[in-house]
Amino acid sequence: MTTAPATPGLATAADPILSVRGLSVEYEASRPGFWSKPTRVQALRDISFDIRPGETLGLVGESGSGKTTIGRAVLRRIDTSDGRILFKGQDITNVRGEALRKLRRHMQLVFQDPYASLNPRMRVLDIVAEPLIVHGIVRSAEEARDQIGELLRLTGLPRDAHDRFPHAFSGGQRQRIGIARALALKPEFIVADEPVSALDVSVRAQVVNLLQDLQKELGLAYLFIAHDLSVVRHISHRVAILHSGRLVEIADRDTLYENPLHPYTEALLSAVPVPHPRTQRARKRLIYKGDIPDVAHWPTGCHFHARCPHATERCSLQVPPLVRKAPDHQVACWHR
Amino acid sequence: MGLFILRRLFQGFLVVLGVTLVVFVATRMVGDPAQVMLPLSATAEQRAAFEHKFGLDRPMAEQFVDFIGDLATFDFGESMWQRRPAMDVIAGRLPNTLKLIAAGLGLAIVLALPLGALAAIRPGGFADRITVFLGLFGLSLPQFWLGLLLIMVFAVTFKVLPTSGYGGWTHFILPAVTLALPAAARLMMLVRSSVIDELNQQYVRTARAKGLRFPQVLFGHALRNALVPFITLAGWEFISALAGYTVVVETVFAWPGLGLTAMQAIKFSDLFLLQAIVFTVAIGIVLVNIVLDVIYKLIDPRIKLA
Amino acid sequence: AEITIAVGSEASTLDPQKRDDGGERAINDNIYETLLARTPAGELVPGLAEALPTQVDPLTWEFKLRPNIKFTNGEAFNADAVVKSVARIIDPNFASEQMSYFGTIAKAEKVDDLTVRVVTTGPDPILPSRMYWMKMVPATYSDDPAFQTEPAGTGPYKLSTWTRGQEVVLEKNPDYWGDAPSIDTVRFRFIGESGTRMAGLMAGELDVITNLLPEFVESVPKSAAVQGVETSVIILSTENEATKDERVRKALNLAIDRQALADSLYSGFALPTKGQLVNPRAFGFNTALQPYPYDPEQAKALIKEAGAEGKTVTLVGEAGRWLKDRELIEAVGNYWEEAGVKVDYRIEEFGEYLNQLFDRKKRPDAVFVVNSNELLDADREMSFAYMPNGTASSNNDPDLAAWVPAARVETDVEKRKGIYAQATQKAHDHYYLVPLLNMQDVYGFSARLEWQPRVDAKLLAKEMKVTE
Amino acid sequence: MAVISPAVPTAAAKPRAGSFSALAAELWHDKAGLFGFAIIVLLIVLAFIAPLITPYDPALQSVAARLKPPVWMAKGSWEHLLGTDHLGRDVLSRVMAGARTSLIVGVSVVLLAGSFGVLVGLFAGFKGGRTDAVLMRLVDIQVAFPGLLMILLIVSVIGPSMTTMIVVLAITNWMIYARVVRGIVLSVRQTPYVEAAEVIGCKPARVIFKHILPNLTSPLLTLGILEFTNIVLAEAAMSFLGLGVQPPATSWGLDVANGKDYIFVAWWLITFPGLSISVTVLAINLFANWLRVTTDPQEREKRFARAKAAERRRAGRTAPTPVEA
Amino acid sequence: MDAISEMPLLEVERLQVEFDTRAGIVHGLRGVDLSIRRGETLALVGESGSGKSVTAQAVMGLIDVPGRIAGGDIRWKGQSLLKGDGPRRAKDIRGKEVALIFQDPMTSLNPLITIGAQIGEVLQRHLGMTKAQARIRVLELLEAVGIPAPPRRAAQYPHELSGGMRQRVMIAMAIACEPQLLIADEPTTALDVTIQAQVLELIAGLQETLKLSVILITHDLGVVAGLCQRVAVMYAGRIVETGLADDLFERPSHPYTQGLIRSTPRLDDRLERLVSIEGAPPSLLAPPRGCAFEPRCPIAEARCGTEPPLAIVHAGASAACWKPSQPAWRDVPASAEPAPVS
Ligand SMILES: Nc1ncnc2c1ncn2[C@@H]1O[C@H](COP(=O)(O)OP(=O)(O)OP(=O)(O)O)[C@@H](O)[C@H]1O
Ligand SMILES: Nc1ncnc2c1ncn2[C@@H]1O[C@H](COP(=O)(O)OP(=O)(O)OP(=O)(O)O)[C@@H](O)[C@H]1O
Ligand SMILES: [Mg+2]
Ligand SMILES: [Mg+2]
Ligand code: NI
């Protein structure tokens, strides 16, 4: 049905559309005084990955681990403190101003919250046409009516959606409006930041399927951020696991789900409940004591060492690098 | 905390400095004190002598350097109007104003907290509508009018309270009430709306789900959490009273306070006294702000004093 | 008995020679005394001097002092005290604000313990009046810094307490040389707002309030009025476009119904001026002059004739310093507009008002002032408003420029009177001024107080009585 | 068990929420708000047509007709419904004319201070970082500046007049707008749809004006209206202290100040202008109260539900069992 | 099973809750029937807006303006909490015998009060403990919910704790008076998977040791599967199906339940395309007269225009459907056919 399972190697052939190399991001946490230097929190440290055209990279991690931050950094919504971001081979780490605005035509964002991400005061037509207007492709929303109609059809919205306001739509439909807006500029790459987390199970599938169909039709590449491992499994070609600001494992989807290497990935996978009583009861679950480390006070060494059953002295002192264990499988652990 | 206070004191110092500079320039433009202070018939020589005595005949820059020098020693020169050190004049008046503010604001707080909480229990209910109306009414009374009215009723007609002046506690009642009513109304409305807000918070639901009795939910949780905005506004009331807004009350009740003195200092173009008053008040405001921040910290553990 | 008197402003010092403000005067008039005094009606009588002074030569006046008088600090009142008082007040370093009253005095000399001569720089016919204004201070103690706050005088009262910002309390001086006053304690309270003062009187907290609004005479328990020393006037500029035409100035004078203003605005507690600024009680008052009549028709005609119809007259004034000043200004302006000119009211803040008043280069078309004359001598009005280059005058009449200084040194009483008559007549005929009203001082009393207010507006507690 | 579901009536035709007639109906039900609204309309109308309908020229003096009491008092006459003042001017005419001053001063100050404060707030909130810190520190300094003293100072430098007063009040009142706007901008900037606008490549101006500004209208409206009441009171207080409007212009505060000396013989001099201030401010407050609730969707819903609950309670007294819908 | 013969602890009967909104009356609950026995774990599942939280709030007496209980009854151990002197008795029952945990632990604690004091409050209120007594018990409770270093934690404020810890505090507060029934309204949705597992484990443990009855509200079928004996499925303000968990997952009777299970993505399956239920739940402003699921139901027919009663389909399972147990989708597992009770 989709390209993904049959041809995992297909995308490899092409050059990556997006390459991230050694990316680090810091946030200014607070400025104690006007003259004093702001204190900084490291949100991301030394992140590297590639996304190839037409490919979906699933990004999974706990809340606060920095998923959104990666998305924002890649879209150049925040400045990086280190590392490089290459988009179609071009270094975009430091573009800003008008050049950045131009770049927006090629990369877009789909938001988590279908309710808050649409301006309640604008008609659907205006919302979807806005990218075209600000990039000077059309002069008014009316001019783009037909073009927008096509987008609405593509995203499965009713034909009469044009002149209605967002509040007249259900959550799933709103998410489609958001996707239509993202597609208006015909981007090659879309960051989808938890696009289905706020939706009910019964409609979640609609959006996931839509994203998959669009990918097939338009050859889009996705950075698909989610915390729900089951959904990620359905849409991704490859999956990256993020843990408190570091990538701990990145692999081809099936490899990761069937043969996780990092203890954190294992814990994550085992913690996901399966909606089948007997199976669920029979499952062996790894429940590790302890909490997710706090960004402001990251531990030394491997960030997982406090909760890890395999942790040794070394784990608490040295940061394990991300090493390649198989052609498409990298992991950051001293013990694997 | 100590560091925080130090830093705030330093910032406050800058603010005070800025304020004083503005006042220095502004006061030089107010008018010629020699004309105002001396009788209409004073001769030119007398005027010159006067200006010389107060150093007003020197270039502005020179005066300014002197002024800054004296600032360091809290010396604001002699009040031209009272002919004694400006700081002495203030020392005599400031306590009266502070007492008035304390009485007025204290009364306002005592009125506002229970009434606001009462109104918030059932928004739109009878008690609420009555208190809101009273509150809005209190907000709408011009203070000078209210003061005159109170004097008419309580001092002249019923002769139960003194009409004006400073003295025993009976003298405090009318001015304090006049000062308190609008402030009480503002505070009351704030208490009401923030308690309503707090009562809608999830943690209040938790408290109710715990089976706590309503008074405890109201006073132990909602009202307590409503205190932060309340303190902000109460502090603001204090500051604005300090910043001269007592002058109307002081005028109506012949209250020997700082506001009235400031009015007179301006009337007499008493530069030195004016500078000293503004300086004192600015310091007062800065201090009040610091105290407020510390109070916030005591109430709300989430606030970091940094 | 104890009484409470409300005054508008607080004394800034209790040194009787330093400042020139009403708050200080009200108190010190009861503590200190002068060589000469006046009866309530204004007649000069001996005070600390035994008799009126005698003139030794045109520049020298001799005073005989009463014996056996002591200041409350124990110092004796004698020639030394007088010499000291004079020397102190005219010392340029002392910078007394009262110097305008004593500018002509050169020195005082002791003849013997009870005889003093006062020497003037030129002939000064009004020296006796001046000495009625100079309070006598003790010879030694007056150099003490404490003197400013702890006064010691020869008067019927001495200071008991002074609570800054609130009140000054005086108590009877047991060693007073004159008749013992009937009031034991006098309390002065400082209340700026007239409404608040009224309230205090109505509530029975106050016994005497000054500057009672005439409307309230009916409402207060008791009241009294006396011809005061203040006269309101509008000074017209003879240079300015709008007012240089004499016909216009005349019209502006004829347009005003002074009697109506006095009757309604001041409820009758003011009198229309008799065509001059000089106070009717003062030396030099010209009895020959008549009030300008109220003739709106002629005023209109004159304005038309002068081609001033619709021209703007700038009327500079202030508000709040004198009784009903703003109302009076507005009312006068209104009359003028009826006569056909446009009035540009400039009610300025007091400092700015003074700037305009004193600005010799740019005279406003019309300035409103209230002149007060405590010395009761026409020289005051003359040098203030009549003589070109006077403090507030706006004409350049060469005659007036010559006459006024001449009168100032003329010691022959009749000749002096003659010069003033000429001067007032000239100003009257050329309409340099728009004299408005002679004000009366109106006092409000509590029911128990009995007192006849004085022409010189002094609040002398020793003359007061209470009935219980 | 068999539950027979109660018949559910289809929702009756209702005015579309948010439409004008719905608003009007809502206002009609809030008597206090309606009262406020009516007074405000009256005030505005008065301010515009006062010169046409005042019985007398408000500055017209008649020394002969001074201090006439209102018509219902013993010596009152129909000529002067609310009596005359100490210069024989018609109090009713002056009260009507005073509305104009209050309105002009209030509106100008709110507009002036509002636009400046909004600009500063927008700029600070949108730029963030150091700009924000500097601007907000400026606001702090100005807030720490003794407000009334500042007013007194400026007025004594420039001299009192209506323009001076407007400028001075604007100078001392813009900070609140800056703070409120900055706060809203900061929070609205965080909302996804504003982020979305930036991501699709909107220029900052478009983001601010198309996406952020509309969020400001209702809080600013409410704030502006409440500030308006403060200005009316401040204008009155300044005029009372002699630093405000200068004659022959009139203002309620000025009239109270002029009349205060006559409080014992002519109570109507301070009563009518004083009452006008009170009623105006009260009316605006009542209306603003209604408006605040109406522009806050959550509060608006609650108000509706409370009204319903009260209705039901009243109905409940006659029919105690809950009616099944 | 013993529990079955016993009298139910809590019974909800034909409960109706309505909300007054300007758009009209929202029929939040439209006759909910529910009962739970001692020691039983019941899951309440359903789409967002189906009325799960409102049910819990109604039981806890937290329905407030704009909402109101418009009909039906809630009985605790056989005695009504709504009628007669019920409301008064309810005050002492709530918080003591029935306790509630909210979804969002971030906002459910008072930020200005130490967690120790917040837990202690319940003890003082219901068990009449003194402050000192309460303090000791608080430490035990914190220990019991697995919070390390209780004395230090008790003196901390909510913002100093992580989300998982706060939820544990909420649980400690709920079990403080050893209630008989614990209602947990989506206790783990705001938490991460690994922490979620910890909390669920904790609830399961407590249920065992304290012999608690638990109503677990969730929309995550996976959570239900691990923890609950019985499941009630809600749709548009009604219970559309109840049954034992094992049965219900294997043989869902109501088409909605079938759809729900079918669209839940599973970690352990490899379907490339997710499936969903087309359409959206009906507006509760004007709920349909008939079966509320009818517009979305692939096997709807004419009689679905009248409301089906909640009727027993097979032992231990009831469904509100005219065509219960018929597979509504072709890809629904074959086990959906009626089968004898095992
Ligand atoms: N503007 C900011 N200022 C300071 N710190 C921030 C800011 N935004 C995010 N952070 C911190 O950076 C870390 C990473 O945040 P991020 O939003 O990327 O997490 P996430 O993985 O997307 O989490 P979630 O699943 O909750 O969306 C968090 O700990 C967060 O507290
Ligand atoms: N305060 C309210 N005003 C109006 N309607 C309300 C209110 N609270 C709840 N409702 C309505 O009641 C219905 C049930 O809401 P409820 O919160 O019980 O849903 P839920 O099943 O808990 O959903 P979720 O999974 O999103 O928590 C919803 O349709 C909702 O719109
Ligand atoms: Mg995120
Ligand atoms: Mg819920
Ligand atoms: Ni049934």
Side-chain angles (χ1 to χ4, degrees), chain A residues 27-29 41 43 61-70 72 112 193-194 227 242 295:
Chain A
Y27 282 111
E28 276 187 16
V41 262
E62 279 162 324
S63 176
S65 57
K67 305 182 294 292
T68 300
T69 308
I70 290 185
R72 299 176 81 199
Q112 166 171 7
D193 191 354
E194 315 210 20
H227 56 242
L242 195 64
V295 238

Side-chain angles (χ1 to χ4, degrees), chain A residues 31 34 72 77 101 104 108 111 116-119 121-122 130-131 134-135 181, chain D residues 130 133-134 137 192-193 195-196 198-203 206 210-211 214-215:
Chain A
R31 196 191 279 269
F34 181 62
R72 299 176 81 199
R77 296 271 308 137
R101 236 167 55 74
R104 297 266 176 256
Q108 273 301 318
F111 291 84
S117 56
L118 305 177
N119 190 337
R121 293 181 180 77
M122 287 165 76
E130 187 164 31
V134 299
H135 286 282
R181 169 175 62 190
Chain D
R130 195 83 0 135
V134 169
R137 196 48 47 90
Y193 74 78
E195 188 172 3
E198 285 177 12
V199 169
I200 59 174
C202 290
K203 294 190 176 124
R206 187 180 171 97
K210 183 121 189 161
H211 297 275
N215 289 286

Side-chain angles (χ1 to χ4, degrees), chain D residues 52-83:
Chain D
L52 304 177
I53 57 158
T54 48
Y56 297 88
D57 175 353
L60 179 73
Q61 306 181 355
S62 161
V63 184
R66 297 178 64 240
L67 300 176
K68 287 259 184 310
V71 58
W72 59 87
M73 300 211 5
K75 286 189 210 148
S77 83
W78 281 99
E79 276 169 44
H80 299 283
L81 286 184
L82 299 183

